[in-house]
Each structure stands twice: as C-alpha cells, then as structure tokens.
Amino acid sequence: MRSKMMGCREEHQSTHGSVLGGKPNHCVIYPPKSSIVAEELERRNNDWFVRTKVASDLKVQVGDFSFYLHKLAMVSKSGYLNRLVFAKRSEGHGQNGGNLKIVLDDLPGGTNTFESIVNFCYGFKVDVTATTIAPLYCAANFLEMSDDLHQGNLISKTEAFLSFAIFSSWKDTFKVLKSCESVSPWSKDLLIVKQCSDAIAWKASTDPKAFTLGQNSNGNLNIGEPSDTWWFQDVSTLRIDHFIQVIESIKRKGVKPELVGSCIAHWTAKWFSSTTFVFDDPTIPKHLTEKLQRITIESLINMLPVEKNSVSCNFLLYLVKLGLKMQVNFELLSKLETRIASMLEQCCAQDLLVKNYGDKDTTYDVGIVIRVVNAYVLLAMKNSRARLCIVGRLIDGYLTLIARDINLKLIDFKLLVDALPTNARSCDNNLYRAIDMYLKAHPSLMEEERASVCKAMEYHRLSEDARQHAMRNSRLPLKIVTEFMLLEQVKMARSISATKSNINPRTTTQTIMKMNNKKCLEKGFIAPQKEIMLIRKEVENMKMQLNQLQMCKLKLQKQVQRSCIK
C-alpha cells in the first residue's frame, strides 16, 4: 500500500540472476507541497539555481558545486539545516541582504544526492532506484528530515522503498549493498548493510546444498576451481567489510561449514590476482594497498569456519602464501599452519600444489609445504608409526610431482626429503623415484650434492625391482651404487648359507673383499667405474649360483619324498 502511494514501480527479475544486467526496481517519490512555488532546478556550470519569483537567500556548498536556494523551503524539512541557519543568524551572518552560506562537506552521496534532496524540498518528484536509494536515505538522516518536522518527510519515504528493494529482489539487494560503499559508515550505523546481509543469507540458505552435502562431495573448493553454487558469483563482488557481514549472517542461518568455506575460497580467488597477488581494486590509493591486503588476509583467516574439513588444504596453503607475502600477524599464520598440519593425513599430493608465477620461481611453492611439514612434525611426536607413514607417502608423492622442476633448488628438495623422521617411511620406492627424477632434471649437480640427496634413501626399504634399477642407475653417485651392490652381495651370501650347501671358496673370499671395500668407502674412498662393473658381474654370478643351489635343493626334496613313499 505504501509503495503505491510513493509511486514505486517494480520490474520482476529472476531470483537466481546475476547482479549485472537487467532493469532496476524504480520508485518515484512525490513530496508534500512546498512553501515556495518553483518552476524547476537548473544548472549553470558548477552552480544550481531554483527558478522562482522569490530571490534566493541561502547558498549551500556541496563539494565543488553551489546551490542557490531559499531558507524557508530547506529548513522546513531539515532539522540539521534549521540549526545551522539559526546559528549563522546568531553570529550575524546574512543580515546585510546577502545569501547565508552553509558548507556541507560530509553529506553522504555528495552533489547528486543533494540535488535529489533539493527537488524534494521544493515539491518536485524524485526518481530513485536500488542504486541511489541508500545514499539518499543516509543523506536524509544526516539532514534530519524526519516526520517530526513535516509529515511524509524524506526519511520515511526513502525507508519504505529501501526495505522493499532489499527484500523483494536478489539483484537489487546487491545493488543497494554496493551503493553503501560510498556512504560508509552511515550505511552501517543505519543498519542498511546488516539488512542486506541478512537478506542475502536468507536467500542463500534456500539453496538445496546449504544444509546437506552433495553426493560424492566434501563441499570443499580448492583455489581457482569453478563452483556450481549459484550465489557464489554475486557474493564475490562484495567489498571485504560487506563480505564479512554476509558470511556472519550466513553462518547464523546454519548453512553448512563446507559451503561457507568454499564461498570464502571463491571470493579470495576473485579479489586477488593469481599472477601478482595484488588486491584488484583500482579505487584504492597505492600507499594504502599493502595495508589493505594485510588486513584483508587476516580477516579471511579469522572468518574461516572452525569445523573439521570445512576448508580445503589447498586453499589454506594459498592463504599461507598470501600471508607470508603480506607479512600478516605471526600468531595468526602459525595457527593456520598448525591447522593445515592436522589435515595432512587426509590429503593427497595434488592438494599441496600451490602455483608460483614468477619467471625464476619454481612452478609450485615448495617453501609453504616445508613450513607445514615442520609444523606437522612438532604435532606428531606421539603419533603412531602408521599415521606417520601416511604423511610420509604423501610427501614422497608430492616430491615426485615437483622433482622435474629445473628451478627447484637442492636445499629445498633436501629440506623436504629430510623434514620427516626416519620412521615415517616404510618403503622408499617413491622417494627413490623422486630422487631419480630430480637428478635427471639437474644433471649439473656435483658428486657430493647427489650423494647428499640420496642420503635419506635406504637399501632395505626398497623393493627388489627398485634395488636392481638403482644398481644400474648411472645418475646415482658411485658411493651409493657401490654400497647397494655390497649389501646385495651380503644378502645373497646369507641366502646361500641358508641352503646349507657348499660355497665356492673363491666366492667367499670375494665377498669378504667387497665388505672390506665398503669399509674403505665409509672412510671416504670412492670405487672407480671399473670396480663397479666387476661388482655387478660378481652379483650376477652369485645370483646364478643361488638359483642352481635352489634347483638342486628342490630335486633333493623330491627324491626324499619318493623314498619315503616307497
């Protein structure tokens, strides 16, 4: 009923539409009659004049524009202007026939909004939309244009359409909220931001995904991944302070934490450039950009849902990367790293991949993973070996994904290899694979550097196939190859002894000699390539002897069985 009296005309929009496009809801406010009859408001350069038979006696300065008005028309509807005019008169201003001058530097909405207010005060109709209603409502409150002064004043008129615009259309709710950016903190104090946030949260909570997890989905969103949740795109257009309000309202509605976490990830990907991590807002002065980035990242970390698995490990790592770059609060960053560390046992290697974009950088940021693994080691001191091995397999898998990167420094690769305790690996096959890939991608490494990379790899934790490959691998340092061959000989010697058969004295002597060679190696001597070839031949000979002995053993067992039957 009130909307009809005000002349509001709504154009219905799809509730699931985007903010962009479409015609806005439109309202025409018809003010009460003015005490001064005026023809129109006209502009001449930076000056505005009211065409009327009565000379103006009030000059109002708003920004760079001057409005030549009449005190009677303005003060009858504005308590604020009434007080200013009375104060100026008391000081003796305007008593010599000149215009009384008032400066309104802090008026919400500026010149455009004041133009609408002047039209209202002189009895002209005022056109408003979802984009202009919030600044006009704030300005009406600033000027104290309440019904106490004049029935049907501007505050009550704008308040009616404001509520209508916020709750009638999803699209217009966002237009109202976006327009609040230019009239902060008035829009916050007058609860416009809260009303918009509650309206958005209410609509988002009607999403079928809001309270139940989808089939075969944990609800998490990695950074940069597209989302099929229809309201994410519109929410991601909001400024950080308004986004915080919306997230708080959504949480109060009981929307599942996984969806909230995915929404935060979507907003972050939208507002931070993937190539330079610069806050993408051209309206912000450069000297404030860095401070705003830091505050924004800290706000994002603080608003994360606390529930387990509500945010993906990949997105949390991305936040760590942003936090390190912008030097956010140390305690906040440590808390975030600890949270990621507690999730490692449920992660896969791909979750740890966070891209770099510099020409000389590694493809993926290895430093943040090293930090998180170190945090995990501090947490996992009392964990069972089985749980440690889960993370061990994860890190070895991650190493295989990054090993081919030619920009990956030896020290970073080693730090990641050595970060976990020795009992975190039950099998070194993936570790060996990663080391081999790294050595292949970095052929210029010195012998000592290659040996330091292979230090964590142990013979007894490799499968038979991996051992055979290692003993023939020319990329491995000679010291490691020789050590593996000697250990292989010892293993086969023990197997031969187990068959309780005679061993060739020459073979025994050679085995002892090789063990002595091992002692020499431990003292720092490196076997030449020729010696390596001889050891390989000896290993093959011992394998053949072992196979022959095993065959003889089987034949003897069959003969014994036949004798027993007879």
Side-chain angles (χ1 to χ4, degrees), residues 257-280:
E258 292 85 354
L259 204 59
V260 175
S262 294
C263 182
I264 296 172
H266 192 91
W267 186 95
T268 306
K270 175 83 173 180
W271 279 79
F272 284 89
S273 168
S274 60
T275 55
T276 58
F277 301 110
V278 172
F279 207 53
D280 188 17

Side-chain angles (χ1 to χ4, degrees), residues 41-43 48 62 67 107 109-122 124-126 136:
L41 181 66
E42 62 179 6
R43 175 181 173 182
W48 289 86
V62 182
F67 291 80
L107 180 72
T111 305
N112 291 335
T113 301
F114 191 68
E115 180 189 348
S116 298
I117 289 172
V118 171
N119 279 319
F120 180 85
C121 290
Y122 280 90
F124 301 129
K125 67 180 182 179
V126 179
L136 186 59

Side-chain angles (χ1 to χ4, degrees), residues 55-332:
S56 67
D57 57 3
L58 176 66
K59 177 183 177 181
V60 180
Q61 184 83 27
V62 182
D64 296 330
F65 291 82
S66 297
F67 291 80
Y68 293 87
L69 310 172
H70 302 83
K71 286 180 284 191
L72 183 61
M74 300 303 295
V75 301
S76 64
K77 295 184 177 66
S78 171
Y80 180 73
L81 290 178
N82 194 350
R83 287 201 310 277
L84 286 182
V85 168
F86 182 78
K88 291 281 185 180
R89 277 182 174 177
S90 301
E91 296 171 1
H93 295 282
Q95 294 182 357
N96 297 325
N99 286 344
L100 190 69
K101 183 178 180 180
I102 292 175
V103 179
L104 299 177
D105 288 331
D106 301 327
L107 180 72
T111 305
N112 291 335
T113 301
F114 191 68
E115 180 189 348
S116 298
I117 289 172
V118 171
N119 279 319
F120 180 85
C121 290
Y122 280 90
F124 301 129
K125 67 180 182 179
V126 179
D127 291 318
V128 292
T129 65
T131 303
T132 61
I133 186 62
L136 186 59
Y137 179 67
C138 292
N141 278 273
F142 177 89
L143 295 173
E144 301 171 15
M145 302 177 72
S146 67
D147 285 2
D148 294 338
L149 284 175
H150 203 292
Q151 190 64 32
N153 211 341
L154 190 57
I155 289 179
S156 59
K157 294 277 190 180
T158 52
E159 186 176 24
F161 179 64
L162 180 63
S163 299
F164 175 78
I166 290 174
F167 291 102
S168 66
S169 167
W170 170 264
K171 172 180 65 65
D172 285 342
T173 304
F174 280 90
K175 290 201 171 189
V176 171
L177 191 51
K178 290 292 287 183
S179 70
C180 289
E181 295 177 2
S182 63
V183 289
S184 296
W186 279 90
S187 57
K188 183 178 179 180
D189 294 340
L190 294 172
L191 302 180
I192 304 174
V193 174
K194 185 179 185 305
Q195 290 180 56
C196 291
S197 300
D198 289 344
I200 292 169
W202 175 80
K203 191 62 181 177
S205 67
T206 63
D207 186 347
K209 302 175 185 176
F211 303 103
T212 58
L213 286 171
Q215 187 176 6
N216 300 325
S217 173
N218 63 2
N220 290 337
L221 184 68
N222 288 343
I223 194 70
E225 286 185 359
S227 172
D228 59 353
T229 304
W230 61 268
W231 50 273
F232 278 14
Q233 182 62 34
D234 290 338
V235 171
S236 69
T237 64
L238 300 177
R239 200 173 67 180
I240 181 62
D241 52 341
H242 295 164
F243 179 67
I244 292 171
Q245 289 265 6
V246 169
I247 290 296
E248 289 176 352
S249 296
I250 288 174
K251 286 179 179 179
R252 287 195 295 268
K253 284 291 183 181
V255 174
K256 64 184 171 77
E258 292 85 354
L259 204 59
V260 175
S262 294
C263 182
I264 296 172
H266 192 91
W267 186 95
T268 306
K270 175 83 173 180
W271 279 79
F272 284 89
S273 168
S274 60
T275 55
T276 58
F277 301 110
V278 172
F279 207 53
D280 188 17
D281 191 343
T283 64
I284 303 171
K286 290 184 178 180
H287 68 281
L288 294 177
T289 299
E290 186 173 329
K291 183 178 180 180
L292 179 59
Q293 286 183 22
R294 183 167 58 254
I295 294 172
T296 299
I297 295 164
E298 290 177 350
S299 299
L300 290 170
I301 296 172
N302 282 322
M303 78 168 76
L304 291 172
V306 298
E307 290 81 0
K308 186 177 180 181
N309 297 326
S310 58
V311 188
S312 73
C313 177
N314 183 264
F315 173 57
L316 293 179
L317 283 169
Y318 184 79
L319 284 181
V320 170
K321 183 177 181 67
L322 291 176
L324 288 170
K325 184 174 179 64
M326 302 317 306
Q327 299 178 337
V328 302
N329 180 272
F330 175 77
E331 292 183 3
L332 197 63

